[in-house]
Amino acid sequence: MKVVIDTNSLLSLVRYYLPFDKNSTLFNFFKSKIEEGEIIIIDKVYEQCTYNAKGLVITKLNFLSDKAFLKSAKLPYKTEMLLAPSPAKFLRMMENQFVVAVQRKKLTEVEFDNQKEAHLNDADIKQIILCLHLINGEEDVILVTEETTDSNDNKLFKKIPAMCKELNIKTMTLPELIEQYKEIEFSFDSVY
């Protein structure tokens, strides 16, 4: 199984899970899965992690700032030259299925093209395109995101889970992913 993980999931990991990870069980588990290439962090997500929440993800997952670790784990995964497996079909989907019609009507053709081009280079789309490539290579792939299909905050394009549903890419949240790994055993210290 290959897991492509988004910025907000990594942020949730370091904010809400690692503070309770007293024995570094979860920390070490994620480190090993990233090192083995089972959990993939793309370049756009890595870049977001360097500045979102003042670089908290890179600080707390300190192995992500270790050049030797990054080199051995082949991180971050380069997506600059990554194109959708069927580029013309994917572009049509961007223009039709992935767009929020109400927001689209507010834009001129030039404005829409500019926003579409920017979105094609965004972390969300690059993660989806990587998933499509992995699926074409007959990998079992999951895109981990904290986004829901509900409300898109008046954005032009739908959220990750909605696009993935159209493309038959499995998605799950961080808690659902952690639940998949039966080898992780948690123990919490009593606060009382």
Side-chain angles (χ1 to χ4, degrees), residues 25-92:
T25 304
L26 198 56
F27 176 91
N28 291 328
F29 181 80
F30 268 81
K31 181 179 180 182
S32 72
K33 292 297 182 186
I34 290 169
E35 190 169 30
E36 294 165 7
E38 187 173 321
I39 296 177
I40 301 170
I41 301 172
I42 68 165
D43 49 6
K44 301 281 185 179
V45 167
Y46 185 85
E47 180 184 326
Q48 288 175 348
C49 288
T50 62
Y51 60 79
N52 280 9
K54 298 180 183 174
L56 184 66
V57 170
I58 305 296
T59 302
K60 295 292 184 181
L61 299 176
N62 56 4
F63 56 86
L64 292 178
S65 61
D66 178 351
K67 290 184 190 319
F69 177 86
L70 294 174
K71 187 175 181 178
S72 72
K74 296 180 177 108
L75 282 177
Y77 189 99
K78 306 283 187 247
T79 62
E80 186 178 331
M81 304 305 288
L82 196 61
L83 296 174
S86 300
K89 178 182 177 189
F90 192 80
L91 284 174
R92 281 192 304 278

Side-chain angles (χ1 to χ4, degrees), residues 22-190:
K22 300 301 179 199
N23 297 324
S24 297
T25 304
L26 198 56
F27 176 91
N28 291 328
F29 181 80
F30 268 81
K31 181 179 180 182
S32 72
K33 292 297 182 186
I34 290 169
E35 190 169 30
E36 294 165 7
E38 187 173 321
I39 296 177
I40 301 170
I41 301 172
I42 68 165
D43 49 6
K44 301 281 185 179
V45 167
Y46 185 85
E47 180 184 326
Q48 288 175 348
C49 288
T50 62
Y51 60 79
N52 280 9
K54 298 180 183 174
L56 184 66
V57 170
I58 305 296
T59 302
K60 295 292 184 181
L61 299 176
N62 56 4
F63 56 86
L64 292 178
S65 61
D66 178 351
K67 290 184 190 319
F69 177 86
L70 294 174
K71 187 175 181 178
S72 72
K74 296 180 177 108
L75 282 177
Y77 189 99
K78 306 283 187 247
T79 62
E80 186 178 331
M81 304 305 288
L82 196 61
L83 296 174
S86 300
K89 178 182 177 189
F90 192 80
L91 284 174
R92 281 192 304 278
M93 291 182 86
M94 287 284 299
E95 294 169 357
N96 299 304
Q97 287 97 323
F98 300 163
V99 73
V100 177
V102 173
Q103 299 302 325
R104 169 70 175 95
K105 290 178 183 175
K106 296 178 183 178
L107 301 174
T108 67
E109 201 59 41
V110 172
E111 290 170 327
F112 175 72
D113 285 342
N114 288 337
Q115 288 197 33
K116 178 178 73 175
E117 188 64 34
H119 197 61
L120 282 167
N121 289 306
D122 185 59
D124 292 358
I125 294 298
K126 292 293 188 178
Q127 290 173 103
I128 289 169
I129 291 172
L130 174 58
C131 287
L132 290 172
H133 278 277
L134 293 170
I135 290 167
N136 280 351
E138 298 187 13
E139 292 277 358
D140 182 22
V141 179
I142 297 167
L143 200 158
V144 175
T145 181
E146 300 309 291
E147 290 184 1
T148 64
T149 54
D150 301 335
S151 176
N152 75 335
D153 308 323
N154 295 321
K155 291 183 180 173
L156 178 59
F157 293 99
K158 294 178 180 178
K159 292 188 168 192
I160 292 173
M163 289 187 275
C164 286
K165 186 175 181 181
E166 292 278 337
L167 296 164
N168 295 316
I169 298 171
K170 288 185 263 182
T171 62
M172 61 177 58
T173 63
L174 183 62
E176 291 169 332
L177 175 69
I178 292 171
E179 188 178 26
Q180 294 287 310
Y181 294 115
K182 301 301 181 206
E183 61 267 36
I184 301 175
E185 290 188 28
F186 292 105
S187 62
F188 294 98
D189 292 338
S190 176

